Amino acid sequence: MTLGTAARFARREMRGSRSGFVVFLLCLTLGVAAIAAVGTVRAAITRSIADQGAVLLGGDVQMSFTYRFASEDERAFMEKNAARISEIVDFRSMAVVGQGDAADRALTQVKAIDGAYPLTGQVILDPPMSLDEALAPQDGIPGAVADPVLADRLGLSLGDRFRLGVKEFRLSAHLMREPDSATAGFTLGPRTILRSADLAGSGLLEPGSLFDTRYRLLLPAGTDLSQLEAKAQGALADSGMRWQDSRNGAPGMQRFVDRMGSFLVLVGLAGLAVGGVGIGAAVRSYLDGKTETIAVLKSLGASSSTIFATYLLQIAVLAAAGILGGLILGGFAPILAGPLIAARLPIPVEIGLDLRTLAEATLYGALAAALFALWPLARTRDVKAAELFRDLGPNRRNWPGWRLGAILVALALALAGSAIILSGLQRLAFGTVGGIVGALALLALAAAALRFLARRFSHRARGRPALRLALSAIGGPRQEATSVVLSLGLGLSVLAAIGQIDANLRNAIAGDLPDIAPSFFFVDIQPDQIEGFRARLAGDPEVTRVEDAPMLRAVLTRINGEDARKVAGDHWVLRGDRGLTYSALPPPNTDIVAGKWWPKGYDGPPQMSFAREEAEEMGLKLGDVVTVNVLGRDIDATITSLREVTFETAGIGFVMAMDPAALQGAPHSWIATVYADPGAEAAILRDLSNIYPNITAIRVRDAIDRVSDALTAIARATAIAAGVTLLTGLVVLIGAAAAGERARVYEAAVLKTLGATRAMILGSFALRSALMGAAAGIVAVAFGAIAGWWVMVFVMQGSYRFEALSAFVIVTGGALMTLIAGLLFALRPLSARPASVLRARD
Amino acid sequence: MNDVVLKLDKAQLTLSGNAGALDILRGISLEVTRGESLGLVGPSGSGKSSLLMIMGGLERATSGRVMALDHDLTAMDEDALARFRRGNMGIVFQSFHLIPTMTALENVAVPLELAGAADAFDRAAAELGAMGLGSRMNHYPAQLSGGEQQRVALARAAAPRPAILLADEPTGNLDGTTGAAIMDLLFDLRDRHGATLILVTHAPELAQRCDRIIRLADGRIDAEDRPHASKVAE
């Protein structure tokens, strides 16, 4: 045999078969397109972050401090090395409109700037004007610009006045874009920008207030960033200074985009797996239709390998076309939708084709096509010339043989390996690949179980012809049930898992949390205000509980004299600064699990009580000495006790607590949590804000809303990716229904001959579809529950609760989708005249 | 006995296709009595199978009337025809037309179930047993030989004890020996249950087994013969 012969046969064979390939092409195109589209957007954002590092960061370098301004030494270092410097103070505060009881308040994230801001990029205001113009005082009232969301919430029009602390500001413009917003991370309140100098006399930024300072540096051309960083870390060691530079201007965002992008690619892979089922079914159906041709070719002397090559070439050409279609769709759709996508991103992004992404999508597509098409292709070798005389189809073996079996296993491993290596999220990719394989296995089992049960129960359904006909069709030798359950089930499984995780997260945040979380967090309470603060709440019958604690921020820099990161790795306690409190006595309900709390009146060398779980994770034990940097000063403290600390309840939970003598002298403020009846929240906020204008109140409900919003955005992106998976599932489903139409036309004709009415036949078809869809839905829900439980318990370290509503929607949706696809293709069987159908077969 | 079970009055069948209207049957009038066996013969394209389909209500006559067991088939809609066939008519095709997703037993039980028989499966099993297929009941059609499939189709047609049995070249796809066995079974059914049998066939020797033979040509009745009557006369 020559390949040329096979190629000639293949070309002839493909001439009249185009319509049979639609499902194959769509499945592959959709799967590749989803992966290519996600990758294209991710690559564009990554490129943008890399290209615009300095603009996103607001300078070549940013040095940040917590609760303090740069010391003289630090300032001197900056001035020596930078061409220009800009100082920014960032803190939360309450924006207030009106007076007394009629006052309206909203939390805002204030950015106080100097005249040099922004060093790079441009602030965009509405109406268009320069920042200098907007912040200039008018009639002695300094200007401020704010996010339109804040203006809306407070009913502020341009020119209206509002207060921060006890100082008045004038809203001069709406803030439409900050060049450095991508570095701000997650904030609870919308942004206000004003001049630092205008904060004088506001009562804000008192000693102990919670604020960050950020120094942006523009460096002389040719400065070596890594050398300068090393120099800074050496000169300002252990000062609590945090360094960031334009080599990675928005690390938080980059991390988020990387993770989200990889996660969505993994969801896309699930789509490709669904498509794979469709590819397998389409190839099987196409080759079933070619049985006679193959038998004739064999009877004329064609060898098995010629036949195999003939059809392999056809599938290869089709796969190339499908992948190309996917690359075009997935590569260009994000470019066409570029303006829409860019408008939703915090940084300017230009979307263009990315070759690496397209290569990755091609690899996934080719591997998936080969994996799912080869098995049915192998069956061509088993077609015998005798098929011309007798239908041997059901007796054909299903096992592809050892050699091909090994190739299939290698292809599956290559596909899984590529996903695990290329996604960059090894653990998640491993879990996803495992999940897909597990779901496919579960679905294959479910399909087999459904067919078994259908066969068993078809006897029990005697006397109910519509049901029995449906059960016979499901349990019979045709493979429709397997194909439908696999394709729809996998798509629904992805959706069910997302549904379970999303609903559980939402419940944890919005449903469970408010029951146990306080109404408010109050921050920036000055030490001389705490007694009055307690007194106001003590007499209020609506207040059920108040907890307060002094709070400082500290960076844990060393453990037993060694760099903390070298000892404890990248533990979250070591990332940035953490809250630190002091207390003479153990706070109420403290559960000390090891060691002892310091004695009352202790004023010896500093002692620390550490959270038990975090201490274990970091390898800390009683007697270890940790160095914390508090406002630029290093304190060495010995761990003398370990406590259980719960963070889930959103109360006050400090990883680190110290004896009062060690910290009392440091400037600090107090924080408080107030548990109150929701009806009394407004009055409490009003009273406390009127008495103490500098205090910032964070309503837990608002914070929850912000988290929910962020979650909604993530869930939406995921749902779109999962939607592509489901769309592929639907294509496979329609393909299966279309492939089965001929058989149904015949079945309907025979049934009519035997006395069945159209209503009964339709009922039987509908039952058959709904049963298969419901089976797919039930497996999907089971899989979703397992995946949801795994993610909630092991990834989120929370608790899992089965979400019945989401499950119900999935099962019903599955049944409905199959029903609709099935009924779409029931019209022809119902309307066909039995005589013409049956005689055509004679 | 002159008990008419089937009566055609100027039945006409015209099919319209791309090439224009085609007259398949041109005004056929005939009567078939209870228990009679009627052979329909004639060259290919003469309209034998179409005539059978019209008698079974599977095809609707373009004009004229078709009465079966005092029911006017030409006045019924498709569902009414389907309901009428239950228990009244059994049809056997050249290509067997078994439902591939059902076992032999299930195939035979279908018309009984549709007719609401509580003992559908017992009767189906008995029928298959009588056909010598007791050991093949749970096999799917594709697992059976052609002769076995046709015996299942016969069992299915006979199981509801229909008054009329229609057979369209039932041995056309079988070898001579198997075909002869199937014909024995068919006539045996007719004899045992007293059904009227209408048989389309190309084979003269099979037609000779019928009480009456009608020869069709070009959609018309060309000749009519009663082979056994002539034998008696001889």
Side-chain angles (χ1 to χ4, degrees):
Chain A
M1 169 305 278
T2 63
L3 203 61
T5 313
R8 275 198 308 280
F9 284 171
R11 201 175 59 242
R12 283 178 218 155
E13 278 289 273
M14 287 187 82
R15 277 193 304 236
S17 316
R18 286 190 193 101
S19 64
F21 298 139
V22 174
V23 171
F24 181 102
L25 286 173
L26 272 179
C27 285
L28 197 54
T29 297
L30 279 172
V32 171
I35 292 170
V38 170
T40 299
V41 175
R42 177 176 62 174
I45 298 175
T46 305
R47 215 169 32 237
S48 186
I49 290 174
D51 293 349
Q52 305 174 50
V55 175
L56 296 174
L57 186 64
D60 295 322
V61 167
Q62 173 175 281
M63 295 165 73
S64 315
F65 303 92
T66 303
Y67 304 160
R68 68 181 182 90
F69 290 89
S71 66
E72 275 181 30
D73 287 350
E74 288 156 350
R75 191 90 209 185
F77 177 88
M78 294 178 210
E79 275 160 13
K80 191 175 154 203
N81 290 291
R84 287 185 71 200
I85 303 170
S86 168
E87 179 194 77
I88 293 165
V89 187
D90 197 295
F91 61 99
R92 276 187 290 268
S93 186
M94 304 297 288
V96 185
V97 176
Q99 297 290 339
D101 289 354
D104 203 0
R105 295 173 176 80
L107 185 70
T108 176
Q109 191 80 29
V110 180
K111 182 188 254 176
I113 57 167
D114 57 11
Y117 178 87
L119 289 179
T120 57
Q122 213 185 345
V123 174
I124 296 173
L125 301 174
D126 180 32
M129 62 173 85
S130 73
L131 200 55
D132 279 343
E133 225 178 311
L135 302 185
Q138 264 182 26
D139 307 325
I141 306 293
V145 297
D147 190 319
V149 173
L150 182 71
D152 272 0
R153 197 171 297 164
L154 291 172
L156 280 175
S157 303
L158 294 181
D160 285 355
R161 293 177 185 185
F162 65 98
R163 290 193 309 285
L164 289 167
V166 293
K167 181 125 187 201
E168 278 213 313
F169 289 86
R170 175 181 48 83
L171 179 69
S172 53
H174 289 143
L175 175 61
M176 305 314 288
R177 177 160 268 195
E178 293 170 82
D180 51 347
S181 63
T183 54
F186 181 75
T187 58
L188 287 173
R191 175 69 82 195
T192 302
I193 296 182
L194 43 78
R195 288 256 181 260
S196 300
D198 293 333
L199 283 172
S202 66
L204 305 169
L205 299 188
E206 295 293 313
S209 296
L210 302 181
F211 68 92
D212 280 340
T213 54
R214 293 180 190 145
Y215 294 84
R216 266 78 180 268
L217 278 59
L218 274 188
L219 305 175
T223 307
D224 185 327
L225 281 169
S226 50
Q227 260 181 19
L228 187 64
E229 183 185 4
K231 212 159 106 184
Q233 301 289 16
L236 312 173
D238 301 340
S239 66
M241 181 270 293
R242 295 188 303 280
W243 175 279
Q244 243 181 289
D245 62 50
S246 58
R247 285 172 297 178
N248 187 359
M253 185 169 173
Q254 179 67 63
R255 214 165 29 237
F256 177 76
V257 167
D258 274 351
R259 289 187 175 199
M260 195 68 200
S262 299
F263 175 62
L264 292 181
V265 165
L266 292 176
V267 175
L269 267 182
L272 204 52
V274 175
V277 176
I279 288 169
V283 172
R284 193 180 295 261
S285 160
Y286 172 64
L287 292 176
D288 280 349
K290 292 289 177 188
T291 303
E292 197 182 337
T293 310
I294 295 170
V296 169
L297 284 173
K298 285 205 170 170
S299 70
L300 297 176
S303 67
S304 291
S305 51
T306 306
I307 304 280
F308 184 75
T310 300
Y311 289 95
L312 180 67
L313 280 172
Q314 294 180 48
I315 300 301
V317 169
L318 279 179
I323 291 170
L324 186 67
L327 294 180
I328 291 171
L329 188 65
F332 285 99
I335 295 176
L336 292 176
L340 268 176
I341 297 169
R344 293 181 154 266
L345 296 171
I347 58 167
V349 165
E350 211 161 291
I351 299 174
L353 286 181
D354 180 69
L355 286 181
R356 186 181 178 275
T357 295
L358 298 185
E360 196 179 326
T362 304
L363 176 70
Y364 287 143
L367 286 174
L371 179 62
F372 287 96
L374 272 182
W375 195 332
L377 262 178
R379 288 157 54 101
T380 56
R381 295 175 314 185
D382 297 334
V383 176
K384 296 181 171 57
E387 306 255 355
L388 290 172
F389 310 106
R390 191 172 165 207
D391 179 14
L392 301 171
N395 300 324
R396 225 173 282 149
R397 64 188 177 145
N398 225 348
W399 167 242
W402 287 110
R403 214 171 111 213
L404 193 69
I407 294 174
L408 289 175
V409 169
L411 281 171
L413 288 177
L415 187 59
S418 312
I420 290 167
I421 293 164
L422 294 176
S423 73
L425 297 174
Q426 271 76 5
R427 226 177 120 209
L428 186 63
F430 205 75
T432 307
V433 169
I436 292 174
V437 172
L440 278 176
L442 202 63
L443 286 162
L445 266 177
L450 177 70
R451 297 184 59 208
F452 173 76
L453 288 174
R455 275 197 297 273
R456 268 198 87 102
F457 282 96
S458 78
H459 300 298
R460 300 242 178 121
R462 290 171 183 181
R464 275 166 289 175
L467 178 61
R468 200 183 69 70
L469 294 178
L471 291 175
S472 290
I474 294 171
R478 280 180 52 223
Q479 294 286 329
E480 188 186 3
T482 310
S483 177
V484 167
V485 171
L486 276 179
S487 59
L488 182 68
L490 198 54
L492 286 178
S493 292
V494 178
L495 269 193
I498 291 168
Q500 289 290 319
I501 295 166
D502 184 52
N504 266 280
L505 280 179
R506 267 172 213 287
N507 268 347
I509 293 167
D512 301 342
L513 201 53
D515 295 339
I516 46 171
S519 308
F520 290 107
F521 280 109
F522 285 96
V523 300
D524 288 343
I525 308 165
Q526 293 301 306
D528 62 351
Q529 295 174 328
I530 189 69
E531 284 310 323
F533 181 91
R534 286 175 183 159
R536 157 63 184 84
L537 298 170
D540 192 332
E542 309 278 9
V543 174
T544 50
R545 187 149 59 106
V546 180
E547 286 172 3
D548 56 49
M551 181 166 90
L552 301 90
R553 303 294 288 187
V555 182
L556 201 166
T557 55
R558 292 173 175 275
I559 297 169
N560 294 326
E562 281 196 58
D563 186 346
R565 282 179 185 268
K566 283 192 185 141
V567 178
D570 186 34
H571 193 274
W572 65 267
V573 168
L574 302 179
R575 284 180 220 144
D577 55 281
R578 298 260 83 83
L580 171 66
T581 190
Y582 65 82
S583 179
L585 297 170
N589 305 323
T590 298
D591 181 11
I592 295 173
V593 291
K596 270 191 193 160
W597 198 264
W598 39 87
K600 205 175 170 187
Y602 175 80
D603 68 349
Q607 292 193 7
M608 180 180 281
S609 176
F610 214 91
R612 197 260 322 155
E613 192 179 336
E614 282 66 29
E616 275 174 14
E617 287 165 1
M618 295 167 68
L620 294 174
K621 56 188 185 307
L622 293 179
D624 281 347
V625 176
V626 296
T627 308
V628 286
N629 185 286
V630 181
L631 300 172
R633 187 167 68 93
D634 279 343
I635 301 174
D636 293 332
T638 307
I639 298 176
T640 53
S641 66
L642 300 177
R643 292 164 293 132
E644 289 295 348
V645 174
T646 318
F647 298 100
E648 288 82 358
T649 54
I652 298 179
F654 286 96
V655 172
M656 298 179 283
M658 289 176 71
D659 68 276
L663 294 175
Q664 242 163 359
H668 64 274
S669 61
W670 287 65
I671 63 167
T673 54
V674 177
Y675 298 77
D677 189 272
E681 287 178 1
I684 293 169
L685 178 62
R686 189 182 58 227
D687 284 5
L688 289 171
S689 301
N690 283 343
I691 308 169
Y692 309 113
N694 63 302
I695 292 179
T696 299
I698 300 164
R699 270 190 79 187
V700 171
R701 262 172 246 283
D702 292 343
I704 287 168
D705 286 348
R706 295 275 296 165
V707 176
S708 292
D709 287 349
L711 208 61
T712 303
I714 293 172
R716 195 177 299 145
T718 316
I720 290 172
V724 175
T725 306
L726 200 64
L727 184 66
T728 313
L730 195 63
V731 169
V732 179
L733 206 62
I734 289 174
E741 192 186 38
R742 202 164 153 254
R744 287 181 198 214
V745 166
Y746 175 64
E747 229 174 285
V750 176
L751 287 170
K752 281 181 190 173
T753 307
L754 300 176
T757 60
R758 281 171 296 185
M760 184 181 289
I761 296 168
L762 182 67
S764 166
F765 286 172
L767 261 173
R768 180 193 311 191
S769 296
L771 279 172
M772 289 189 290
I778 288 168
V779 177
V781 165
F783 176 81
I786 294 169
W789 165 79
W790 187 79
V791 170
M792 288 309 294
V793 172
F794 295 106
V795 181
M796 303 288 173
Q797 306 207 326
S799 61
Y800 170 75
R801 191 170 66 197
F802 179 70
E803 292 297 334
L805 180 67
S806 157
F808 175 76
V809 171
I810 295 288
V811 176
T812 320
L816 265 178
M817 274 174 66
T818 332
L819 191 63
I820 292 167
L823 292 186
L824 272 179
F825 290 91
L827 299 177
R828 210 163 75 83
L830 284 180
S831 58
R833 302 287 289 273
S836 51
V837 175
L838 300 178
R839 289 184 64 182
R841 284 231 177 178
D842 278 340
Chain B
M1 184 177 73
N2 192 18
D3 190 0
V4 176
V5 290
L6 260 173
K7 182 177 178 187
L8 276 73
D9 184 14
K10 294 177 188 155
Q12 181 113 11
L13 177 65
T14 306
L15 297 181
S16 51
N18 292 335
L22 184 64
D23 290 327
I24 307 290
L25 298 175
R26 302 165 190 257
I28 304 272
S29 297
L30 67 89
E31 289 184 353
V32 188
T33 54
R34 188 175 300 278
E36 184 183 7
S37 58
L38 170 68
L40 296 175
V41 297
S44 293
S46 59
K48 309 180 295 289
S49 292
S50 296
L51 181 58
L52 194 80
M53 296 290 159
I54 277 187
M55 289 173 170
L58 298 174
E59 193 83 78
R60 191 185 297 273
T62 317
S63 64
R65 275 179 84 186
V66 180
M67 299 291 291
L69 300 170
D70 296 329
H71 288 78
D72 184 356
L73 301 190
T74 44
M76 292 182 185
D77 70 8
E78 202 172 334
D79 287 340
L81 285 168
R83 274 190 287 269
F84 174 75
R85 279 193 292 269
R86 294 177 193 168
N88 290 322
M89 285 187 179
I91 307 175
V92 183
F93 300 91
Q94 179 179 354
S95 295
F96 329 133
H97 289 321
L98 299 175
I99 299 173
T101 55
M102 294 187 193
T103 60
L105 180 67
E106 289 169 340
N107 261 292
V108 178
V110 170
L112 295 165
E113 287 184 285
L114 291 171
D119 55 351
F121 279 77
D122 294 338
R123 283 169 60 185
E127 203 66 44
L128 279 170
M131 297 281 174
L133 289 171
S135 59
R136 307 287 267 163
M137 287 192 204
N138 292 318
H139 287 78
Y140 286 100
Q143 297 167 317
L144 302 172
S145 71
E148 287 169 331
Q149 288 190 53
Q150 193 59 300
R151 275 190 278 162
V152 175
L154 265 182
R156 184 175 70 179
R161 300 285 174 266
I164 302 168
L165 263 176
L166 305 172
D168 185 11
E169 298 194 47
T171 59
N173 280 354
L174 304 173
D175 63 73
T177 315
T178 314
I182 289 292
M183 287 313 292
D184 288 344
L185 282 170
L186 194 59
F187 278 93
D188 179 50
L189 276 177
R190 199 276 310 246
D191 295 342
R192 274 194 286 135
H193 307 312
T196 301
L197 172 65
I198 300 166
L199 173 71
V200 169
T201 181
H202 272 298
E205 68 279 12
L206 292 182
Q208 290 297 322
R209 293 179 68 170
C210 295
D211 301 329
R212 180 160 55 126
I213 300 171
I214 286 181
R215 175 173 297 280
L216 289 176
D218 198 20
R220 291 193 181 89
I221 295 178
D222 186 44
E224 194 170 331
D225 184 23
R226 290 183 181 272
H228 305 300
S230 55
K231 262 184 202 166
V232 171
E234 280 168 16

